Amino acid sequence: MQPDFEAETVLPLASMPLNEVGQCFSVLRRPAGLSAGKMGCVLKFTVKEIDPSTGEAEEEGYEDEYQLEDVEVAGSDYSRPLLLGNFRGTWEQLEPGSEREDDYGLGPRENLQDTVETVMAIL
């Protein structure tokens, strides 16, 4: 599934001479709700010949494009991590209704992997 983002603003790179590094940016408006999936990316640019006698780029050029790696958008991209200095203190401040406790009987298991798979199936 491809997310339905719209290009809000594009900050193009005016020029990038041979053997140099440059950056361009796109600001995308996300759709309402949670949109996730892979989004194709294409770098579009104009190739211009350089006059060897002057070192200046010619006025005319030709359009070209380069396929970049897909960008994957996940649910975690919509949230910002919250760093807690005292996790235990924050945990203890939670309302009692936010915690759930239950007993499960796993019975005898062959090995740790089997036990983990059983717990995962229960949860």
Side-chain angles (χ1 to χ4, degrees), residues 1-112:
M1 180 174 95
Q2 183 172 359
D4 298 324
F5 289 97
E6 292 182 36
E8 182 77 18
T9 304
V10 176
L11 301 174
L13 180 63
S15 173
M16 190 169 75
L18 184 63
N19 296 326
E20 290 197 21
V21 176
Q23 296 177 341
C24 58
F25 298 93
S26 295
V27 177
L28 304 175
R29 177 178 297 276
R30 68 182 175 125
L34 181 65
S35 185
K38 286 189 178 182
M39 180 173 32
C41 295
V42 177
L43 176 65
K44 296 182 180 184
F45 54 95
T46 304
V47 177
K48 294 185 177 183
E49 296 291 327
I50 303 295
D51 184 348
S53 61
T54 63
E56 295 294 318
E58 294 180 359
E59 290 294 319
E60 297 296 317
Y62 62 92
E63 301 295 316
D64 202 354
E65 59 184 44
Y66 182 77
Q67 182 72 39
L68 302 172
E69 292 181 25
D70 289 349
V71 173
E72 188 166 351
V73 179
S76 61
D77 293 321
Y78 293 95
S79 62
R80 183 176 50 182
L82 179 62
L83 302 176
L84 301 173
N86 181 2
F87 180 81
R88 181 178 297 276
T90 304
W91 180 268
E92 291 171 356
Q93 290 176 359
L94 290 174
E95 296 288 326
S98 64
E99 185 175 331
R100 183 171 178 200
E101 186 176 318
D102 206 347
D103 293 327
Y104 297 98
L106 298 176
R109 297 287 164 209
E110 295 277 329
N111 54 38
L112 180 60

